[in-house]
Amino acid sequence: MTDELNVGMWTPGRYTINKIRLFTVDGSGTLTNELDLPETNAFVSAEIRQGIFNGSVQATVIFNDAYNANEEFNRGVGLQGQEYVEINIETPESLSGIDLVFLVTRVGVEHSTTNQTALVTLECVTKEQLISSINNVNQAFDGTTSDIAQNVFNNRINGDKIWGTVFSNSAFKKRPFGVDTSVDIEEGLIIPGQPPFSALDTLGRRSDGGPTYENSLFAFFETTNGYQFRNIQELIKNNVLKNEAPKNRKYSFRSTNISEDAMSGRRRTAIVGVSPSSSASPLQFLIDGVYKNHTKMVDVYGKNFKNITYEHTAAKHNTLGNEDINSSDYVDALSDEDNRQFLVLNDKTKKNQGFQKLLPKRLSFFNFLLSRTFDISLAGDCSLQAGEVITIDFPPSAHIATQNKASKWSGDYLVTSVTHNFDVDKLMTTATITKDSL
């Protein structure tokens, strides 16, 4: 079949199910139960969610229980919330598909009086959450927080003994861990009995990106491609899609019919819907000290204090555009005096006492980063990841168009979360995107 015919026959939302199965294993990893949901016509729908502030990838799977798995699975015990769901799907032209194993954490059953079958809902989280929940980190570390994070993930998640027992089954694969470099050196940093994922969250809050990435907002999260310990400012600057061809990173929202986008070659990157934008309140920014603030560092041992002043500048925060969303005149006129003070207790006789350097600038960067957000809907794109920066082409207003100008809303956006909703017929993708400047 020619490429032209393939383009003409493309259907919005079309995707391929390679596998969706419910299964269990015993303590040695041996398969004990298995139910192929599409093959038995049991699969109804599913949703997969990821986000840079959401931790692990989560899923909801709904199936029609004509085979009475709710009562007879697990050798007659029924579904207990200790099963696994394997999902392997892909969409046309995507840069990657989704291939994940989830742990079932909750089972919901909706009984029917009409067809005498139940509708079962499985709430799931990726399998590594199980390892984190039965493990803990209780020791002192030296080195940068990024080195410590790598140590924790390698030894407490991918190095756990469960990979030689329950997870020895071939369905379970270790996931990669991407780490951005921090510059702070910790000495004898004690992590006091935290689960590994909680420890990684703590390390993110302590991480400093150094003078190159002044805002130092680190986050630990998971995408469908793996786990991430990332400096958000570095993630934006070193966008993984920047070396991709424009067709793989530029998304368009036009008034054309979706079939016209298909014929023109804009398929995976054709935006089919945009929600109203949500903007931050400049008044709330003033109240919270986003434009200007200071931290009072109180040395409890030396009985003195030091004021650390922070003031917003476009150079510090405009990572996705060039022009401040709020006018400089407005900011200068109303934030001449900072009205927000943070109090940080510090003991200079102890190690690892540098949080006062991160708090004020991180507050400002985070608020500006999320100052313009909205959702976009796509006709299926399994490869889109939270943490990527995509370029969006918005149509200009009629007035702007007459002046041959582009819309200010066009440009780069950070993808903060991605949700895939799919049933037996189609897959649709919704992404929350954000912009700190125009």
Side-chain angles (χ1 to χ4, degrees), residues 391-412:
T391 303
I392 298 183
D393 179 22
F394 282 109
S397 65
H399 175 70
I400 295 297
T402 61
Q403 303 176 41
N404 294 320
K405 293 182 179 179
S407 170
K408 277 192 173 184
W409 290 103
S410 294
D412 291 342

Side-chain angles (χ1 to χ4, degrees), residues 149-160:
Q150 188 77 68
N151 181 313
V152 170
F153 193 88
N154 288 348
N155 292 312
R156 302 307 175 97
I157 300 298
N158 278 349
D160 189 80

Side-chain angles (χ1 to χ4, degrees), residues 119-377:
L119 204 62
V120 177
T121 300
L122 306 177
E123 298 296 341
C124 313
V125 68
T126 39
K127 64 187 184 300
E128 286 77 12
Q129 185 66 59
L130 172 62
I131 304 176
S132 181
S133 299
I134 60 176
N135 213 326
N136 75 82
V137 183
N138 189 19
Q139 69 179 85
F141 293 90
D142 293 328
T144 66
T145 51
S146 54
D147 289 339
I148 298 171
Q150 188 77 68
N151 181 313
V152 170
F153 193 88
N154 288 348
N155 292 312
R156 302 307 175 97
I157 300 298
N158 278 349
D160 189 80
K161 63 183 180 180
I162 196 172
W163 293 100
T165 55
V166 177
F167 284 2
S168 62
N169 189 285
S170 61
F172 301 106
K173 301 177 181 65
K174 293 183 179 181
R175 310 215 65 210
F177 184 52
V179 180
D180 284 338
T181 301
S182 61
V183 300
D184 50 313
I185 302 296
E186 305 281 3
E187 297 180 52
L189 175 65
I190 297 175
I191 298 180
Q194 290 184 315
F197 283 0
S198 296
L200 290 164
D201 283 333
T202 298
L203 290 168
R205 290 193 293 272
R206 295 187 66 90
S207 296
D208 186 350
T212 304
Y213 304 106
E214 184 174 339
N215 301 300
S216 299
L217 178 63
F218 276 71
F220 169 65
F221 61 98
E222 183 188 16
T223 70
T224 53
N225 282 347
Y227 281 90
Q228 317 290 335
F229 185 83
R230 298 296 188 188
N231 180 343
I232 301 302
Q233 192 176 6
E234 184 175 356
L235 198 66
I236 294 170
K237 182 177 180 180
N238 299 329
N239 173 28
V240 296
L241 295 181
K242 67 180 179 180
N243 294 323
E244 291 286 343
K247 68 177 183 179
N248 290 331
R249 58 180 170 79
K250 189 169 185 177
Y251 291 71
S252 298
F253 181 55
R254 297 290 174 179
S255 58
T256 57
N257 185 280
I258 187 66
S259 61
E260 294 179 35
D261 281 334
M263 294 299 292
S264 67
R266 296 194 304 268
R267 291 173 279 188
R268 180 180 64 83
T269 57
I271 299 174
V272 299
V274 177
S275 73
S277 65
S278 174
S279 61
S281 165
L283 176 60
Q284 195 63 47
F285 274 14
L286 287 170
I287 295 171
D288 293 340
V290 173
Y291 299 122
K292 191 174 182 179
N293 63 70
H294 74 270
T295 300
K296 185 179 292 294
M297 183 189 70
V298 179
D299 182 354
V300 296
Y301 184 81
K303 293 183 171 51
N304 55 42
F305 68 90
K306 178 181 179 181
N307 284 326
I308 302 172
T309 302
Y310 185 79
E311 187 171 357
H312 162 77
T313 66
K316 291 177 181 177
H317 295 106
N318 293 355
T319 58
L320 293 159
N322 300 309
E323 182 181 333
D324 264 352
I325 288 176
N326 300 131
S327 71
S328 58
D329 290 341
Y330 173 87
V331 175
D332 293 342
L334 297 178
S335 62
D336 182 50
E337 296 291 336
D338 65 277
N339 65 330
R340 191 68 163 90
Q341 174 180 291
F342 302 100
L343 181 65
V344 176
L345 300 180
N346 188 290
D347 183 351
K348 289 185 177 181
T349 66
K350 296 182 179 180
K351 303 172 183 177
N352 312 317
Q353 299 282 301
F355 187 65
Q356 68 277 356
K357 298 183 299 181
L358 304 177
L359 177 62
K361 57 187 178 182
R362 186 177 290 174
L363 165 83
S364 188
F365 176 70
F366 179 77
N367 279 276
F368 269 96
L369 181 64
L370 302 181
S371 58
R372 286 292 187 276
T373 64
F374 48 89
D375 296 334
I376 59 172
S377 300

